[in-house]
Amino acid sequence: MTLRIDITGLTPDRLRFAPSPLAELTAMLHVLAAPGHHPQLTAWAADVRAGLRPELAERLQEAEFLWRSSRADFLVPARPRQTLSEELDDVDRIDDETYVTSALITTCGSNRAHFAQPSPLTDAVAREHVLNLAQARGALQEAFTERLLADPASVRARVRQTLEQCAEAFFDAAWTGVEARLAADLRLKTDLLKRQGIGMALASVSGAIALAPDGRSIVVDKLQDNATAAQDAGVTFIPSVFGHPHLVVVYAPGWQPVVQYPVAEPSQPEPVSLETCSLRLEALAHPVRLRLLRTLARGPHTTGELAHAWQLTPPEVSRHLAVLRRAGLLTGRRRGRYVHYTLDLSAMTTLGTDLLSAVLR
């Protein structure tokens, strides 16, 4: 399962790497709203929450649907600016229809088909449909949606004020600390793009992003099947210190593709692909393969030894071992006439973590 961004005919200079104060603030707000996704930032989140004024904490809760489970597109800018204020000014220039649709997608659910024309701002039937979706999500979502549809300008102004108060409360101090890390990462990416091309630059962003073999699209390993096109607009890549493990991609029609990626930590392992996770789950779903793994967990064994231990034929064991090897759960080492198979304990140990990271990505 992948997201493909068509970059046919796009020159390297149309791939832009830039920091975004608004996108990083949004990443911080996501950490505060869903700390379980970010165990490495638990202490930071606890400290920030403890220092929030009650009024600001209430404001964050009433609008958290804009960044909790997914990000409203307008919070991940395609043209990052130097300051948060400048980026918020750009958001203010978005028309109500675009803003409201983007906000409703994150508030009422992630299916964009629910928010096709006609507009809930002007059509009573569409409005009722959207309110029903929000009601199903919860009372807070319903209340936010009602306010947004009744008075978009007021809600937009309140959201901006909330973000500005976050800047005063914790973002400005945090931004000072992370800005140098973002700048260092951007220098590396820009240099790779200039000297070694798009493929190497993408590989340095994340192991979950690659240039397609034909060079005509960017392939993002995410739990979805979607496609978009960069066309003449290009693609913007925004680094984030607070983003791990998420790889946020804006790709809706009418929006320039944007990728917000986590800046890699020195000890951070490369992400395991969804395909590998799927292969491992399928391999472990068969009871015979589980029995073989039980024996292999005790030490290296040959095909014949495994067949004898479980009263199977060698060809049958070989077929099961081939599935386990394709999934990366076994290693084989030849010793004379025999191949001894060994369980890859690290792959088994991290299977749950790898799967969770792939789902959260």
Side-chain angles (χ1 to χ4, degrees):
M1 303 182 76
T2 58
L3 167 64
R4 287 182 172 267
I5 304 174
D6 188 344
I7 58 170
T8 302
L10 210 65
T11 55
D13 61 291
R14 303 304 294 166
L15 268 67
R16 180 183 185 188
F17 289 87
S20 165
L22 178 57
E24 192 69 356
L25 170 55
T26 306
M28 293 179 189
L29 292 175
H30 171 75
V31 172
L32 294 177
H37 293 184
H38 309 271
Q40 77 280 11
L41 294 171
T42 300
W44 176 87
D47 287 344
V48 170
R49 285 197 299 270
L52 290 178
R53 291 181 292 102
E55 180 195 0
L56 180 54
E58 183 178 339
R59 278 173 170 262
L60 290 179
Q61 185 178 37
E62 74 181 26
E64 71 172 9
F65 326 110
L66 299 178
W67 51 72
R68 183 182 180 89
S69 57
S70 59
R71 315 289 169 83
D73 294 333
F74 54 78
L75 294 176
V76 189
R79 294 176 178 81
R81 307 291 188 181
Q82 291 291 321
T83 67
L84 177 64
S85 180
E86 289 174 308
E87 292 186 323
L88 292 176
D89 288 343
D90 286 344
V91 174
D92 287 344
R93 296 185 185 98
I94 298 172
D95 62 85
D96 279 349
E97 183 69 44
T98 302
Y99 186 102
V100 168
T101 299
S102 181
L104 289 177
I105 289 168
T106 59
T107 303
C108 303
S110 59
N111 189 344
R112 296 178 184 276
H114 289 156
F115 306 100
Q117 294 294 333
S119 166
L121 287 175
T122 57
D123 185 87
V125 174
R127 175 188 175 86
E128 187 66 23
H129 173 64
V130 167
L131 287 172
N132 286 337
L133 291 174
Q135 185 180 55
R137 302 286 290 178
L140 289 175
Q141 288 91 330
E142 182 181 18
F144 180 81
T145 301
E146 286 179 343
R147 293 195 302 271
L148 182 63
L149 294 177
D151 189 356
S154 176
V155 172
R156 293 179 64 162
R158 185 171 176 84
V159 169
R160 172 166 183 155
Q161 291 168 2
T162 299
L163 296 176
E164 290 172 337
Q165 289 179 17
C166 287
E168 296 175 5
F170 62 87
F171 173 73
D172 287 345
W175 180 251
T176 299
V178 305
E179 196 171 10
R181 289 185 59 190
L182 298 180
D185 182 82
L186 290 168
R187 285 194 296 270
L188 172 64
K189 302 295 189 293
T190 303
D191 185 65
L192 282 172
L193 181 63
K194 179 180 178 180
R195 297 178 182 278
Q196 300 188 45
I198 294 176
M200 289 300 296
L202 293 177
S204 73
V205 169
S206 168
I209 300 179
L211 184 66
D214 62 7
R216 298 176 62 183
S217 61
I218 296 171
V219 182
V220 186
D221 187 50
K222 287 180 71 72
L223 196 59
Q224 55 187 268
D225 283 311
N226 276 302
T228 189
Q231 299 176 342
D232 295 331
V235 184
T236 300
F237 292 86
I238 300 173
S240 172
V241 170
F242 284 78
H244 180 78
H246 303 305
L247 194 61
V248 178
V249 185
V250 172
Y251 60 90
W255 296 87
Q256 178 181 330
V258 183
V259 179
Q260 185 185 30
Y261 63 92
V263 173
E265 298 283 352
S267 60
Q268 189 174 301
E270 279 294 309
V272 175
S273 71
L274 282 164
E275 180 183 7
T276 297
C277 289
S278 298
L279 285 174
R280 290 176 179 174
L281 292 175
E282 291 170 6
L284 295 173
H286 199 290
V288 171
R289 291 195 279 273
L290 285 176
R291 295 189 187 106
L292 296 177
L293 289 178
R294 176 180 172 83
T295 301
L296 290 168
R298 290 164 168 77
H301 286 73
T302 66
T303 300
E305 290 172 330
L306 292 169
H308 177 74
W310 292 102
Q311 297 182 340
L312 300 168
T313 66
E316 186 177 6
V317 171
S318 293
R319 288 195 296 273
H320 286 298
L321 292 178
V323 174
L324 292 167
R325 291 194 73 180
R326 282 197 299 273
L329 296 174
L330 297 182
T331 58
R333 182 178 181 184
R334 179 171 292 280
R335 295 178 181 172
R337 295 172 50 199
Y338 301 99
V339 176
H340 288 77
Y341 294 96
T342 303
L343 175 63
D344 188 332
L345 292 175
S346 63
M348 290 292 291
T349 300
T350 61
L351 178 59
T353 303
D354 292 339
L355 177 60
L356 179 60
S357 295
V359 170
L360 291 178
R361 186 160 64 236

